[in-house]
Structures are given as structure tokens and as C-alpha cells.
Amino acid sequence: MYYSKIIPDPKLTKCQGREHAFRAHFQDYDEALGHAAVLLGGRRGARLINAVREALDHQGPLTGRLRRQLLELRNLLFLEYAYNDDWGDSTGFALLELDDPIVPEICLLADGLEQALQDAGVFESDTDQAA
């Protein structure tokens, strides 16, 4: 039989399984997250989602910058920037009506992203910190 020696490649980076799970979740909901970011954040939301997509295309662990961008995306989906003048124009927030059928979809999308961020260790909710 022929046996070969396995030589580790130093260029390969180790990535935790929970980060792989997050990447898979993001890939599954990429289009919906993109639409929601543009709807709620306008041009700044589009730049944010494009930066997240580009960073997730690179292999390796989640960087500090990417983690901050993911938290910013989470905050955008949870409408935490709705009345924040520093974040940018709030044109997307003004277009939403409570009875709009997209609102529950955005809520489900936001909840799913938050859970994926918690599972990846990027975000801790207030209930997790208290426990």
C-alpha cells in the first residue's frame, strides 16, 4: 500500500464550528437580509450588507470588524436606528406601516439573525447576561 505523509498547511486557518453554522445561516438568508437592510437603511444599509457579504466571503474566523458590522446589521433590523439622526437618513423607516405584510417577515428575519449571532458567540442578549 502507498502511504503519504500529511503535511499541515500553515495558510489554512481554523474556524470554529459555530462560525461555520453562522455562515450557513447567513448564506441561507442572504437575499432577504440584503433586501431588509436596503429597505430599512437605504444606501448606508446597502453598504453595510455589502461589507458583511464581502467579509464573510473570506475564510477564517470572524474578525472584530465583521463582528461590529454584524451587530450593526442586527441593530438595523431591530429598528434601533429608527430615531437616531447620527446613523443616517430614516427614509426606510418612514415608509413602513405597522400593517405592512413585510413587517412580520423582517421581525422573523431579525430574530433568526440574533439567534445565529448568539449561537456564534458574537452577541449576548440581556437574558443571557443575567443567567
Side-chain angles (χ1 to χ4, degrees):
M1 282 196 131
Y2 178 76
Y3 293 97
S4 65
K5 183 177 180 181
I6 297 176
I7 302 171
D9 187 354
K11 293 183 277 183
L12 293 177
T13 57
K14 293 185 180 180
C15 190
Q16 296 178 349
R18 59 189 187 167
E19 290 179 6
H20 286 297
F22 174 78
R23 288 174 189 271
H25 174 83
F26 190 89
Q27 186 176 10
D28 289 344
Y29 295 98
D30 179 38
E31 187 175 340
L33 287 167
H35 289 303
V38 172
L39 176 69
L40 297 174
R43 287 184 300 228
R44 185 166 179 184
R47 285 191 304 269
L48 174 63
I49 194 69
N50 288 334
V52 168
R53 286 173 176 157
E54 184 178 324
L56 285 174
D57 282 343
H58 299 291
Q59 297 299 319
L62 302 179
T63 63
R65 181 176 187 209
L66 175 58
R67 289 172 182 266
R68 286 188 299 277
Q69 290 170 335
L70 289 169
L71 291 176
E72 190 173 0
L73 178 61
R74 179 235 173 247
N75 291 341
L76 177 64
L77 293 179
F78 274 99
L79 305 180
E80 292 188 16
Y81 300 129
Y83 301 105
N84 186 346
D85 293 334
D86 295 334
W87 203 82
D89 59 351
S90 57
T91 57
F93 302 117
L95 296 175
L96 286 178
E97 296 288 331
L98 288 178
D99 59 347
D100 191 336
I102 195 73
V103 172
E105 297 296 324
I106 291 174
C107 292
L108 289 172
L109 192 62
D111 289 340
L113 178 65
E114 182 177 55
Q115 185 62 50
L117 290 172
Q118 287 176 2
D119 293 345
V122 174
F123 175 77
E124 289 186 19
S125 68
D126 293 336
T127 57
D128 290 345
Q129 293 172 356

